[in-house]
Amino acid sequence: MFTKSCLAPVAAMAVLAGSASTVAAQDHAASMVAGTWAGTFASTEWTFEFKHEGGSWSGRYMSARSGKWFPMQSLAVSGNTVRFGIEAKPPVAFRLEVDKANKAMTGDVAIFGKNLPFTATRKS
């Protein structure tokens, strides 16, 4: 007959296995998204940098016109999908997906109530 104490290690192993798969999924997303990407929007070259450290994401962006780095706003990464905003008036929001070859992010930029197509390519 099994007692609760006998089943506790089995339950703990199941939780650890679930945690391991979650970590593996986060690592996969990090390897797909992390790095430097560049694309053209509003007739300007933009550079985006995504970092995954300590289980959280951070990002920054720079336009060729400004030449200065700024932090991304509301950055969210889920699998191969990336969402973030940049400080601008009117507000500008990106919704992108990394392709399976891990060489491009494609999606759209929301501005003035419209979604415009956008593509960025991996720089590093």
Side-chain angles (χ1 to χ4, degrees):
M1 176 174 211
F2 291 105
T3 64
K4 286 184 182 179
S5 62
C6 290
L7 295 176
V10 173
M13 287 173 39
V15 169
L16 289 174
S19 296
S21 64
T22 300
V23 169
Q26 290 172 350
D27 288 346
H28 180 68
S31 69
M32 289 190 67
V33 174
T36 305
W37 301 79
T40 301
F41 168 67
S43 301
T44 301
E45 178 80 12
W46 293 81
T47 303
F48 304 98
E49 184 179 82
F50 302 94
K51 290 185 180 181
H52 186 252
E53 297 174 327
S56 63
W57 284 96
S58 64
R60 62 186 189 160
Y61 65 93
M62 175 175 49
S63 75
R65 288 182 186 167
S66 76
K68 296 180 184 179
W69 288 103
F70 297 96
M72 290 179 179
Q73 299 176 338
S74 305
L75 174 61
V77 178
S78 177
N80 65 335
T81 302
V82 181
R83 295 173 190 252
F84 62 92
I86 62 173
E87 188 173 331
K89 289 187 181 187
V92 177
F94 290 78
R95 185 186 62 189
L96 309 169
E97 288 191 25
V98 179
D99 69 8
K100 291 182 182 183
N102 199 17
K103 298 201 186 262
M105 281 187 179
T106 58
D108 56 55
V109 179
I111 186 169
F112 293 116
K114 296 182 180 185
N115 292 331
L116 306 173
F118 179 80
T119 299
T121 56
R122 181 178 287 284
K123 296 298 177 189
S124 67

